[in-house]
Amino acid sequence: MKKLFCFAIVFLLAARISFAQEDHQYMVIEFIKVASTQMVDYSDNKDFMEKIYEEAVKQGDVEGWDLWSLQSGPDQGEFQFVTITYYNDPVKMMNAMTDDNFLNYAKRAYSSTMSESQIESAVKSAVQNRDLAMRAYMVEVAETKDNFQMKPGVLASFDLMKAAEGRFNEYENVENELYLPFHQKKIQAGMMGSWKFLRTAVPMGSAAEYTHMTLNFYDDYVQFFNSMEYEDMEASEEQLTAMEEGLSSRDQKWVYMATLLKAIR
C-alpha cells in the first residue's frame, strides 16, 4: 500500500511538471464598467495605462496587453471595455500585476517626466476611474494556425460557455475535434482571422457561471457577417450531426462583440 501511495504521488508530480513544461498561453480577461460621468477620465487614462503595460512587457513579466471597446452584449450598460493580459506562465499570471508591481512599472515608465507623488496620484486615479466588474483567469487549450495581426480596429467576439454537468471532457473534445478544424477552414476561406479556445485556469466550483471561452477574431464587420454565412461544403452528414449534437454539451451564456483599441506585444 505504501509503495502504491508513493507511486501515485510520483505520477501526479510528473503530470504536473509535464503540464507546466507545455507551451500554454495564459490570459487574464477583465470586463470593465465605467460610469458615464467617468468616461472622459477613463479615455484619458488609456495612454497612461498603455505605457505601464509596455514596461511590464519590457521586464518580461507580461507577454502582451489588449484594450477592447465593447459594442454589444446581453446588457449594453454592464461593461464598456475589456482588457486581455497575456502570460506564458501561470504563476506570473497570478502575481505579475499586483498593486505594488503595477506602481513599480508606472515609476519605471514615468520617472523621467513625473515625480513619485504625481505617479502615485495618477495610478490611484486610473484605478478609481473603473469598476473591475468581472475577471477571468484562463488558459488556452486550442487555437487555429494563422498569421492574424492584432492591430487597432480589428473585431472580436467573446463567447462565454458553461460545460454541461458531467460533460466537461465531451465538450472540450467537440471544440478540439470538430470546431477547431471548422474554424481553420473559415480562416483559409478568408472569412475569419483567428480563433482561440480557453478554459478557466483556476478552480471556480460547480456554481460558476462559465467554464470556457472562445475568442473569435475578424478583420472587420464585413468579414464577420460573411463568416456567419459560411458553410463547410466538404463536411459529411455525420460531422454536421456531431457538431449539432455537440452543442448540447455546453450552454452559451453570453456573447460580447468588441473592437480593439490598443495592443502591446
Side-chain angles (χ1 to χ4, degrees):
M1 180 63 72
K2 184 176 181 180
K3 289 182 179 179
L4 183 62
F5 176 77
C6 290
F7 175 79
I9 293 296
V10 170
F11 178 81
L12 289 172
L13 288 173
R16 184 174 181 180
I17 291 171
S18 175
F19 181 82
Q21 289 176 340
E22 293 181 18
D23 188 21
H24 289 281
Q25 185 170 66
Y26 297 84
M27 305 176 196
V28 177
I29 302 177
E30 298 176 327
F31 292 80
I32 297 167
K33 182 175 183 177
V34 180
S36 58
T37 56
Q38 296 177 314
M39 193 64 71
V40 173
D41 291 336
Y42 185 80
S43 296
D44 291 341
N45 282 332
K46 291 200 296 288
D47 293 336
F48 178 75
M49 299 285 285
E50 182 179 20
K51 289 187 177 180
I52 293 175
Y53 279 95
E54 284 178 350
E55 191 61 40
V57 172
K58 287 180 184 177
Q59 297 299 317
D61 297 326
V62 170
E63 293 288 295
W65 179 76
D66 298 339
L67 174 64
W68 299 81
S69 174
L70 281 172
Q71 295 180 302
S72 68
D75 182 350
Q76 190 64 25
E78 187 176 9
F79 312 120
Q80 289 80 34
F81 299 95
V82 178
T83 63
I84 306 178
T85 309
Y86 300 87
Y87 301 90
N88 61 5
D89 180 274
V91 177
K92 287 182 179 179
M93 176 181 69
M94 303 305 295
N95 293 332
M97 298 308 293
T98 62
D99 291 345
D100 287 343
N101 286 344
F102 191 82
L103 181 58
N104 288 333
Y105 295 136
K107 289 178 179 178
R108 290 193 185 102
Y110 291 100
S111 59
S112 62
T113 57
M114 299 171 65
S115 68
E116 186 167 327
S117 61
Q118 287 175 323
I119 294 172
E120 291 175 354
S121 177
V123 168
K124 182 178 180 181
S125 176
V127 172
Q128 289 179 339
N129 284 334
R130 66 174 192 168
D131 175 12
L132 185 54
M134 185 170 70
R135 174 184 286 155
Y137 295 93
M138 312 296 293
V139 58
E140 180 182 282
V141 293
E143 66 174 336
T144 52
K145 295 180 180 179
D146 55 74
N147 58 358
F148 186 71
Q149 299 297 310
M150 286 291 187
K151 56 185 179 180
V154 301
L155 182 70
S157 71
F158 296 72
D159 299 9
L160 278 66
M161 318 287 193
K162 182 171 182 177
E165 186 174 356
R167 304 180 70 182
F168 193 97
N169 290 335
E170 178 186 347
Y171 168 57
E172 290 203 348
N173 288 337
V174 168
E175 291 285 6
N176 277 292
E177 297 175 10
L178 297 176
Y179 280 97
L180 172 58
F182 174 74
H183 290 302
Q184 191 69 56
K185 289 181 179 180
K186 290 174 71 174
I187 290 169
Q188 292 169 350
M191 293 190 175
M192 192 178 195
S194 185
W195 176 87
K196 296 179 183 294
F197 177 49
L198 317 176
R199 83 161 72 95
T200 54
V202 295
M204 298 182 69
S206 60
E209 293 185 328
Y210 61 92
T211 59
H212 296 78
M213 192 180 302
T214 60
L215 304 182
N216 310 274
F217 300 99
Y218 308 90
D219 290 328
D220 48 37
Y221 271 109
V222 173
Q223 189 180 56
F224 169 72
F225 285 115
N226 286 337
S227 177
M228 298 298 101
E229 303 298 323
Y230 176 79
E231 293 184 12
D232 186 359
M233 305 302 294
E234 299 177 357
S236 65
E237 287 295 328
E238 291 79 7
Q239 289 173 320
L240 294 174
T241 299
M243 291 176 71
E244 286 295 323
E245 291 177 350
L247 296 179
S248 66
S249 64
R250 59 94 171 121
D251 178 16
Q252 189 172 32
K253 304 296 291 185
W254 307 289
V255 176
Y256 296 94
M257 299 298 299
T259 300
L260 185 62
L261 299 178
K262 293 183 179 294
I264 300 170
R265 297 291 185 274

